[in-house]
């Protein structure tokens, strides 16, 4: 928020679907809604994890039980533009915002139902590390090529 | 478990899809898998809630923010036959096992991917109560008719 | 529920603290409360897991990352007597209800704040299996001795 | 991360307990640990919510079921310095980083066990709105005075 007085106008406009090429379909759960009747702000991060890791697993880029390198999360963030609410389904749009030697920044938007405008936009940064030593390792060429397909 | 020595053979065989007429499609989440790499036993109950309440809301039988009567959960249970695991999708089969004046017993089976045999079977009992007094109230005729469509 | 008309009187009276010798102190979370403003029925199972596994780890009976035998959950259940609610703390009372060659049945009651009477009572059955083959293995003597201290 | 090569040195040093005056004791749960055996990055946000809202409720500044004004979350973020892990308890340190007409920015650090250095540091921004219209409303004088006690 750049201004305490005018939070809605001072912030960048919400993203639309056209800003993304990769989409993942997600479902919401009864427990996502908190006492205020809308999706609790924490759940958005669970959906980010689910969208990105689901894609990595299906692309053969991650085997959570066996991969020798794993992505540790070093920073996350989210801006909330509007409400999401069970039982409405959610679509996640995924892009890669920055790609380093060992790290990747995912940018994810969540769209409720058929809406074109994002209800929330977030990011998370994975640093790839050796599963045992937890020291950074370079992103493999195969993985890098996949990430570049999602680059903005 | 009726025998401590032979848990797998002494238990009833897992249900198959043919035992259900109502199905709900659900997705799994990264956080559903615990440190053993499979869906934690708690998540099954979250899927039961989601399947049943999602159906109630879509049928117009429940408006969580406004309904004057709400279903309080008085008992739940689950038997686990096999593993479920993110990112595999899950189908919930729903039946009504008993229907009282104020209460309904839902019986739910969870099927991983395209499998015919349930990975888990559970139940939960809703007692309908007045939202404010929390005293039992009779199930309405409209709701009762819907429940009877799912009766075994 | 043995009667649909009189759920409160037909059920066994809630347990009191005197039925337990082992207690674990737990805290509740904002997200535990659902849209009805009380702890969602699913959270109780998360507290059961937390109370029992926390005790196993502190007693040196479980190392989730390395133990060669792990406890798989084969059945769980819970009866709800009253409401729990964030931010009230919860105490879990733990007992062992049955001890087989490879399996143990934990019986757990949840007490809100300083209350003497349980808000909920549940159980879960662990079958000990080899971490890799997932075949049942006998409970070790050291573990069995600890379980017997909690036997009813 | 300002540099992909040296993530640990390029980031600000983790906060220590001396940067906070208000602390809240929290417990971790079995389900907090993901398949990598440490607290999943999403759980940190659940602890932020719990620490701040627990304090607001105990101070009489929030009644989730009845308050006419509620705090909507418009932005959140977290940087992860080290691992947290069930069953270790966690202490949350809370400060107020900015206080506007209708909004407040909470800054929270999570400390594992007795550690002096934060495992994670995050923030969230509440905009106070009318519960029904969801339009921003000014923070009351009573609330503002409490927030100023936590100001940095």
């Amino acid at each position: 928020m750049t201004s305490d007085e005018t939070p809605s106008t001072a912030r960048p406009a919400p993203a639309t679907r056209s800003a993304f090429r990769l989409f993942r379909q997600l479902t919401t759960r009864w427990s996502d809604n908190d006492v205020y009747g809308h999706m609790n702000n924490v759940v958005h991060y669970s959906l980010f994890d689910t969208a990105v890791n689901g894609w990595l697993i299906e692309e053969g880029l991650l085997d959570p039980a066996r991969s020798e390198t794993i992505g540790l999360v070093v920073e996350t963030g989210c801006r909330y533009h509007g409400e999401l609410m069970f039982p409405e389904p959610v679509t996640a749009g995924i892009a890669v915002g920055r790609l380093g030697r060992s790290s990747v920044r995912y940018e994810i938007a969540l769209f409720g139902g058929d809406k074109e405008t994002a209800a929330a936009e977030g990011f998370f940064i994975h640093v790839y590390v050796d599963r045992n030593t937890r020291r950074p390792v370079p992103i493999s060429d195969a993985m890098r090529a996949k990430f570049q397909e999602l680059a903005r």
Side-chain angles (χ1 to χ4, degrees), chain A:
Chain A
M1 255 174 37
T2 53
S3 159
D4 293 304
E5 301 308 308
T6 54
S8 56
T9 56
R11 307 207 306 169
T16 58
R17 291 184 189 239
S18 61
F20 299 91
R21 276 176 295 175
L22 174 66
F23 296 94
R24 304 279 301 178
Q25 307 304 320
L26 306 169
T27 55
T28 52
R29 296 182 178 174
W30 172 260
S31 57
D32 293 344
N33 289 4
D34 66 11
V35 67
Y36 299 143
H38 62 187
M39 182 182 284
N40 181 256
N41 70 86
V42 176
V43 179
H44 300 66
Y45 289 98
S46 179
L47 298 182
F48 297 164
D49 260 6
T50 297
V52 170
N53 286 324
W55 173 74
L56 289 173
I57 291 169
E58 286 181 16
E59 291 288 333
L61 299 173
L62 172 64
D63 178 343
R66 274 172 289 272
S67 295
E68 287 175 20
T69 66
I70 60 177
L72 287 194
V73 173
V74 296
E75 187 171 351
T76 58
C78 187
R79 287 180 299 123
Y80 306 84
H81 306 301
E83 297 183 322
L84 294 169
M85 199 177 299
F86 171 79
E88 186 179 50
V90 168
T91 300
I94 304 174
V96 165
R98 188 163 48 177
L99 187 52
R101 198 180 75 98
S102 303
S103 71
V104 54
R105 178 188 161 103
Y106 296 100
E107 297 175 352
I108 305 120
L110 300 179
F111 302 92
D114 295 326
K115 294 200 186 65
E116 278 300 313
T117 300
E121 287 173 87
F123 72 92
F124 71 88
I125 300 172
H126 263 165
V127 172
Y128 278 90
V129 299
D130 179 275
R131 191 187 199 100
N132 296 307
T133 66
R134 305 262 157 140
R135 301 291 305 167
V137 293
I139 292 172
S140 71
D141 289 347
M143 201 170 235
R144 184 173 300 277
K146 277 288 176 193
F147 288 159
Q148 278 164 344
E149 293 176 15
L150 302 185
R152 287 193 145 151

